[in-house]
Amino acid sequence: MNSLADSIQESVELGGLNTLRVAARARFYVSVKRVAELVEALDWAAARSLETLVLGGGSNLVIAGDFDGLVIRVAFSGRQWEKASESGATLVLGAGENWHSAVLYAAASGYRGIENLALIPGTTGAAPVQNIGAYGVELSDTLVSVTALDRTTGQLVTLSNSDCRFAYRDSVFKQQSGRYVIVEVRLRLSRSRPLSLGYGDLARYFSDHPHPEQLTPLEVAEGVMAVRRRKLPDPEQLPNVGSFFKNPVVPLARWEELRSVNPAIVGYPAGDSVKLAAAWLIDQCGWKGYRTDRVGVHNRQALVLINHSGGTGQDILALAERIREDVFQRFGVSLEIEPRIVP
Ligand code: EPU
């Protein structure tokens, strides 16, 4: 019988496994398709005192250097419907399923809830980690539960929506980084919930539609795709990890202060606070479209850093640091890097 150990590869280039296309080597690499294989891979690494790095689509990751351990790519597949009723159904997705394909599948089946999250790169298993969000919708709006391997106990556990401690681009999977490996995700989708078309760019896109409330979820997904393509670079052409910084949340009083000095500043209410558009802050500092031979800032969205040609994770992080310093100098606002930095 073939054991998983036979499929572990040595000295593997990771450039093709991260959407920033940063070159780096993993000492060992394996792709796992089932939970039993995942457990075997973790045991194999533990027996050799090797660190592990679990990867999905590599679309929210900055690889800062070579990795002297075992990289495990989670490739669990599977799409199933559960608990279908008149009003909705639960979609169960394997962690390795491509997120965008899952969105199109749900939308084409007439189910609502994740259509605004079309075209977000990466796998389904990575989606809860940063609680992906776009155009007024977050994954946490529809997520019922996550099945994960808890590495502290070696047990499979089910985390409910509240167990996941979701917040803006945040979750227990980020807060307790390395503890859980996500195996499966359950989403409750609806046939009738109102579409979410209020977000600026999306609202403008559908503004001349006579009956926007009659749009199908697939039409909304197509609108989202068109809007994203205008501003956000395709990682296949311009390697990137989406927004490089979180939009900083500041207290109302701070917002008023900032606005008195910068009347054009862009922000959105977020509870008692205000979420500032980091892209605006970066843009004001003159970074939009900046580039060196290797890395740069996207010329249509200042929040996205690009690896133009042969940039390393260190090049990207050095650029991010210069941007952070400038924004802090000018506005006194501290930007937080959004993607995961490894090792
Ligand atoms: N703006 C500028 N300059 C720019 C870009 C934007 O001044 O270069 C200003 C505009 O006023 C614009 C505002 O910033 O109205 C906000 O920009 P945008 O609507 O493009 O959204 P964002 O806040 O920059 C967030 C998410 C995106 C998500 C979009 C749409 C974060 C960190 N980013 O970006 O998510 O697609 O909203 O919902 O929350 C990602 O997380 O990787 C990501 C792409």
Side-chain angles (χ1 to χ4, degrees):
M1 196 180 88
N2 277 354
S3 86
L4 183 81
D6 298 331
S7 51
I8 294 177
Q9 302 167 45
E10 220 173 320
S11 188
V12 170
E13 175 49 52
L14 298 173
L17 296 168
N18 71 95
T19 62
L20 253 182
R21 296 278 178 266
V22 159
R25 284 201 169 267
R27 185 161 162 211
F28 298 104
Y29 168 83
V30 72
S31 172
V32 295
K33 292 200 167 61
R34 287 175 287 115
V35 175
E37 290 183 355
L38 168 65
V39 171
E40 212 180 319
L42 292 170
D43 289 348
W44 187 91
R48 288 160 184 79
S49 305
L50 289 170
E51 293 212 29
T52 53
L53 168 63
V54 177
L55 275 191
S59 59
N60 199 42
L61 191 73
V62 182
I63 302 183
D66 291 342
F67 184 68
D68 187 30
L70 173 64
V71 170
I72 303 173
R73 184 177 166 98
V74 170
F76 305 148
S77 59
R79 287 176 187 171
Q80 276 166 285
W81 294 101
E82 269 181 3
K83 300 185 182 156
S85 70
E86 283 281 287
S87 60
T90 301
L91 180 57
V92 188
L93 296 166
E97 287 286 327
N98 175 273
W99 173 257
H100 174 63
S101 307
V103 168
L104 291 185
Y105 171 67
S109 311
Y111 286 98
R112 302 167 173 218
I114 52 175
E115 58 281 359
N116 291 34
L117 306 180
L119 220 57
I120 295 182
T123 58
T124 299
V129 179
Q130 53 155 334
N131 186 20
I132 56 170
Y135 308 105
V137 171
E138 288 186 334
L139 181 72
S140 54
D141 299 336
T142 50
L143 185 136
V144 178
S145 64
V146 168
T147 306
L149 184 78
D150 182 347
R151 296 183 60 184
T152 59
T153 61
Q155 301 293 310
L156 274 185
V157 290
T158 302
L159 292 101
S160 68
N161 183 301
S162 68
D163 294 337
C164 294
R165 294 199 231 142
F166 287 122
Y168 166 58
R169 295 293 189 278
D170 197 25
S171 73
V172 71
F173 310 108
K174 240 186 180 179
Q175 294 148 17
Q176 299 183 20
S177 175
R179 175 166 176 186
Y180 297 105
V181 182
I182 296 176
V183 168
E184 203 169 72
V185 172
R186 279 185 162 65
L187 307 173
R188 186 67 192 173
L189 304 178
S190 162
R191 286 209 168 269
S192 56
R193 68 183 254 164
L195 299 165
S196 184
L197 304 173
Y199 189 95
D201 283 348
L202 195 60
R204 276 188 287 282
Y205 183 82
F206 285 119
S207 61
D208 54 4
H209 194 283
H211 301 290
E213 69 285 355
Q214 286 172 17
L215 287 165
T216 65
L218 190 57
E219 286 168 332
V220 174
E222 280 159 359
V224 166
M225 289 161 68
V227 169
R228 284 185 73 98
R229 284 190 173 120
R230 278 186 204 155
K231 270 198 184 173
L232 292 167
D234 177 355
E236 292 292 330
Q237 275 140 37
L238 293 171
N240 74 86
V241 286
S243 299
F244 205 85
F245 302 99
K246 286 194 195 183
N247 284 330
V249 178
V250 298
L252 206 55
R254 180 82 184 98
W255 159 250
E256 294 299 353
E257 235 172 72
L258 281 164
R259 203 168 52 159
S260 66
V261 186
N262 312 278
I265 193 167
V266 182
Y268 311 92
D272 297 342
S273 311
V274 175
K275 198 190 266 182
L276 302 177
W280 187 89
L281 302 172
I282 297 168
D283 204 345
Q284 292 303 301
C285 293
W287 284 103
K288 185 143 110 183
Y290 167 88
R291 64 166 292 181
T292 67
D293 293 352
R294 304 208 286 215
V295 297
V297 179
H298 188 45
N299 57 13
R300 275 177 282 152
Q301 225 301 1
L303 204 46
V304 180
L305 303 191
I306 307 278
N307 183 6
H308 285 288
S309 172
T312 63
Q314 296 297 342
D315 292 332
I316 288 279
L317 292 172
L319 173 59
E321 198 42 44
R322 290 177 62 197
I323 294 171
R324 287 189 70 224
E325 277 168 15
D326 256 15
V327 168
F328 189 75
Q329 284 275 326
R330 169 121 182 229
F331 299 102
V333 173
S334 189
L335 293 182
E336 188 187 333
I337 290 181
E338 202 278 318
R340 184 157 69 115
I341 300 168
V342 293

